[in-house]
CSV table of all heavy atoms in Angstrom, one decimal:
chain,number,residue,atom,x,y,z
A,11,VAL,N,0.9,-1.2,0.0
A,11,VAL,CA,0.0,0.0,0.1
A,11,VAL,C,0.8,1.2,0.0
A,11,VAL,O,2.0,1.2,0.3
A,11,VAL,CB,-0.9,-0.1,1.3
A,11,VAL,CG1,-2.0,-1.1,1.2
A,11,VAL,CG2,-0.2,-0.1,2.6
A,12,GLY,N,0.3,2.4,-0.4
A,12,GLY,CA,1.0,3.6,-0.3
A,12,GLY,C,0.8,4.5,-1.5
A,12,GLY,O,0.3,4.1,-2.5
A,13,PHE,N,1.4,5.7,-1.4
A,13,PHE,CA,1.2,6.6,-2.6
A,13,PHE,C,1.9,6.1,-3.8
A,13,PHE,O,1.4,6.2,-4.9
A,13,PHE,CB,1.9,8.0,-2.2
A,13,PHE,CG,2.1,8.9,-3.3
A,13,PHE,CD1,1.0,9.7,-3.8
A,13,PHE,CD2,3.3,9.2,-3.8
A,13,PHE,CE1,1.1,10.6,-4.8
A,13,PHE,CE2,3.5,10.1,-4.8
A,13,PHE,CZ,2.4,10.9,-5.4
A,14,ASP,N,3.2,5.7,-3.8
A,14,ASP,CA,3.9,5.1,-4.9
A,14,ASP,C,3.2,3.9,-5.5
A,14,ASP,O,3.2,3.7,-6.8
A,14,ASP,CB,5.3,4.7,-4.5
A,14,ASP,CG,6.2,6.0,-4.4
A,14,ASP,OD1,5.7,7.0,-4.7
A,14,ASP,OD2,7.3,5.9,-3.8
A,15,ILE,N,2.6,3.1,-4.6
A,15,ILE,CA,1.9,1.9,-5.1
A,15,ILE,C,0.7,2.2,-5.9
A,15,ILE,O,0.5,1.7,-7.0
A,15,ILE,CB,1.5,1.0,-4.0
A,15,ILE,CG1,2.7,0.7,-3.0
A,15,ILE,CG2,0.8,-0.4,-4.5
A,15,ILE,CD1,3.8,-0.1,-3.7
A,16,ASP,N,0.0,3.2,-5.4
A,16,ASP,CA,-1.3,3.7,-6.2
A,16,ASP,C,-0.9,4.3,-7.3
A,16,ASP,O,-1.5,4.2,-8.5
A,16,ASP,CB,-2.1,4.6,-5.3
A,16,ASP,CG,-2.9,4.0,-4.2
A,16,ASP,OD1,-2.8,2.6,-4.0
A,16,ASP,OD2,-3.6,4.7,-3.4
A,17,LEU,N,0.2,5.2,-7.4
A,17,LEU,CA,0.6,5.9,-8.6
A,17,LEU,C,1.0,4.9,-9.6
A,17,LEU,O,0.8,5.0,-10.8
A,17,LEU,CB,1.8,6.7,-8.2
A,17,LEU,CG,2.2,7.8,-9.2
A,17,LEU,CD1,1.2,8.9,-9.3
A,17,LEU,CD2,3.6,8.4,-8.8
A,18,GLY,N,1.9,3.8,-9.2
A,18,GLY,CA,2.2,2.8,-10.2
A,18,GLY,C,1.1,2.0,-10.8
A,18,GLY,O,1.1,1.8,-12.0
A,19,ASN,N,0.1,1.7,-10.0
A,19,ASN,CA,-1.0,0.9,-10.5
A,19,ASN,C,-1.8,1.8,-11.5
A,19,ASN,O,-2.4,1.3,-12.5
A,19,ASN,CB,-2.0,0.5,-9.3
A,19,ASN,CG,-1.3,-0.6,-8.5
A,19,ASN,OD1,-0.6,-1.4,-9.1
A,19,ASN,ND2,-1.7,-0.6,-7.2
A,20,ALA,N,-1.9,3.2,-11.3
A,20,ALA,CA,-2.6,4.1,-12.1
A,20,ALA,C,-1.9,4.2,-13.4
A,20,ALA,O,-2.4,4.3,-14.5
A,20,ALA,CB,-2.7,5.4,-11.4
A,21,ILE,N,-0.5,4.2,-13.4
A,21,ILE,CA,0.3,4.3,-14.6
A,21,ILE,C,0.0,3.0,-15.4
A,21,ILE,O,-0.1,3.1,-16.6
A,21,ILE,CB,1.8,4.4,-14.2
A,21,ILE,CG1,2.1,5.8,-13.6
A,21,ILE,CG2,2.7,4.1,-15.4
A,21,ILE,CD1,3.5,5.9,-13.1
A,22,CYS,N,0.1,1.9,-14.7
A,22,CYS,CA,-0.2,0.6,-15.5
A,22,CYS,C,-1.5,0.7,-16.2
A,22,CYS,O,-1.8,0.2,-17.3
A,22,CYS,CB,0.0,-0.5,-14.5
A,22,CYS,SG,1.6,-1.0,-14.1
A,23,ASP,N,-2.6,1.3,-15.4
A,23,ASP,CA,-4.0,1.4,-16.0
A,23,ASP,C,-3.9,2.2,-17.4
A,23,ASP,O,-4.5,1.9,-18.3
A,23,ASP,CB,-4.9,2.0,-15.1
A,23,ASP,CG,-5.4,1.0,-14.0
A,23,ASP,OD1,-5.2,-0.2,-14.1
A,23,ASP,OD2,-5.9,1.5,-12.9
A,24,LYS,N,-3.1,3.4,-17.3
A,24,LYS,CA,-3.0,4.3,-18.4
A,24,LYS,C,-2.3,3.5,-19.6
A,24,LYS,O,-2.7,3.7,-20.7
A,24,LYS,CB,-2.2,5.5,-18.1
A,24,LYS,CG,-3.0,6.4,-17.1
A,24,LYS,CD,-4.0,7.2,-17.8
A,24,LYS,CE,-4.7,8.3,-16.9
A,24,LYS,NZ,-5.7,9.0,-17.6
A,25,LEU,N,-1.4,2.6,-19.3
A,25,LEU,CA,-0.7,1.9,-20.3
A,25,LEU,C,-1.3,0.5,-20.7
A,25,LEU,O,-0.7,-0.1,-21.6
A,25,LEU,CB,0.8,1.7,-19.8
A,25,LEU,CG,1.7,3.0,-19.5
A,25,LEU,CD1,3.1,2.7,-19.0
A,25,LEU,CD2,1.8,3.9,-20.7
A,26,LYS,N,-2.3,0.3,-20.0
A,26,LYS,CA,-3.0,-1.0,-20.3
A,26,LYS,C,-2.0,-2.2,-20.0
A,26,LYS,O,-1.9,-3.1,-20.9
A,26,LYS,CB,-3.6,-1.0,-21.8
A,26,LYS,CG,-4.7,0.0,-21.9
A,26,LYS,CD,-5.2,-0.2,-23.2
A,26,LYS,CE,-6.6,0.8,-23.6
A,26,LYS,NZ,-6.8,1.9,-22.6
A,27,ALA,N,-1.4,-2.0,-18.9
A,27,ALA,CA,-0.5,-3.1,-18.6
A,27,ALA,C,-0.8,-3.7,-17.3
A,27,ALA,O,-1.5,-3.0,-16.5
A,27,ALA,CB,1.0,-2.5,-18.6
A,28,LYS,N,-0.3,-4.9,-17.0
A,28,LYS,CA,-0.5,-5.6,-15.7
A,28,LYS,C,0.7,-5.1,-14.8
A,28,LYS,O,1.9,-5.3,-15.1
A,28,LYS,CB,-0.5,-7.2,-15.8
A,28,LYS,CG,-0.6,-7.8,-14.5
A,28,LYS,CD,-0.5,-9.4,-14.7
A,28,LYS,CE,-0.5,-10.0,-13.3
A,28,LYS,NZ,-0.4,-11.6,-13.5
A,29,CYS,N,0.4,-4.6,-13.6
A,29,CYS,CA,1.4,-4.1,-12.7
A,29,CYS,C,1.8,-5.4,-11.8
A,29,CYS,O,1.1,-6.0,-11.2
A,29,CYS,CB,0.8,-3.1,-11.8
A,29,CYS,SG,1.6,-1.5,-11.9
A,30,VAL,N,3.2,-5.5,-11.8
A,30,VAL,CA,3.7,-6.6,-11.0
A,30,VAL,C,4.9,-5.8,-10.1
A,30,VAL,O,5.7,-5.1,-10.5
A,30,VAL,CB,4.6,-7.6,-11.8
A,30,VAL,CG1,5.2,-8.6,-10.8
A,30,VAL,CG2,3.4,-8.4,-12.6
A,31,TRP,N,4.7,-6.1,-8.7
A,31,TRP,CA,5.6,-5.4,-7.8
A,31,TRP,C,6.6,-6.4,-7.3
A,31,TRP,O,6.3,-7.5,-6.9
A,31,TRP,CB,4.8,-4.8,-6.6
A,31,TRP,CG,3.9,-3.8,-7.1
A,31,TRP,CD1,2.6,-3.8,-7.4
A,31,TRP,CD2,4.2,-2.2,-7.2
A,31,TRP,NE1,2.1,-2.6,-7.8
A,31,TRP,CE2,3.1,-1.7,-7.6
A,31,TRP,CE3,5.3,-1.6,-7.0
A,31,TRP,CZ2,3.1,-0.3,-8.0
A,31,TRP,CZ3,5.4,-0.2,-7.2
A,31,TRP,CH2,4.2,0.5,-7.7
A,32,VAL,N,7.9,-6.0,-7.4
A,32,VAL,CA,9.0,-6.9,-7.0
A,32,VAL,C,9.7,-6.3,-5.7
A,32,VAL,O,10.2,-5.1,-5.8
A,32,VAL,CB,10.1,-7.0,-8.1
A,32,VAL,CG1,11.2,-7.9,-7.7
A,32,VAL,CG2,9.3,-7.6,-9.4
A,33,GLU,N,9.6,-6.9,-4.6
A,33,GLU,CA,10.2,-6.3,-3.4
A,33,GLU,C,11.8,-6.5,-3.3
A,33,GLU,O,12.2,-7.7,-3.6
A,33,GLU,CB,9.6,-6.9,-2.2
A,33,GLU,CG,8.2,-6.5,-2.0
A,33,GLU,CD,7.4,-7.3,-0.8
A,33,GLU,OE1,8.2,-7.3,0.2
A,33,GLU,OE2,6.4,-7.7,-0.9
A,34,THR,N,12.5,-5.4,-2.9
A,34,THR,CA,13.9,-5.5,-2.9
A,34,THR,C,14.4,-4.5,-2.0
A,34,THR,O,13.8,-3.6,-1.7
A,34,THR,CB,14.6,-5.4,-4.3
A,34,THR,OG1,16.0,-5.6,-4.2
A,34,THR,CG2,14.3,-4.0,-4.8
A,35,SER,N,15.5,-4.7,-1.4
A,35,SER,CA,16.2,-3.8,-0.4
A,35,SER,C,16.6,-2.5,-1.2
A,35,SER,O,17.1,-2.6,-2.4
A,35,SER,CB,17.4,-4.3,0.2
A,35,SER,OG,18.4,-4.6,-0.5
A,36,PHE,N,16.5,-1.3,-0.6
A,36,PHE,CA,16.8,0.0,-1.3
A,36,PHE,C,18.2,0.1,-1.8
A,36,PHE,O,18.6,0.6,-2.9
A,36,PHE,CB,16.4,1.2,-0.5
A,36,PHE,CG,16.3,2.4,-1.3
A,36,PHE,CD1,15.1,2.6,-1.9
A,36,PHE,CD2,17.4,3.4,-1.2
A,36,PHE,CE1,15.1,3.9,-2.7
A,36,PHE,CE2,17.2,4.5,-2.0
A,36,PHE,CZ,16.0,4.9,-2.7
């Protein structure tokens, strides 16, 4: 969850793409 997560999902919607999140250390 979070601002960046919602932003990424919205970008994927615009690009008609499936969003996949990969967790990793910064």
Side-chain angles (χ1 to χ4, degrees):
V11 295
F13 172 75
D14 285 345
I15 306 301
D16 285 1
L17 195 68
N19 288 331
I21 289 169
C22 287
D23 285 344
K24 290 285 186 185
L25 299 180
K26 296 183 175 15
K28 178 185 177 183
C29 239
V30 173
W31 295 92
V32 182
E33 296 179 36
T34 186
S35 62
F36 196 79

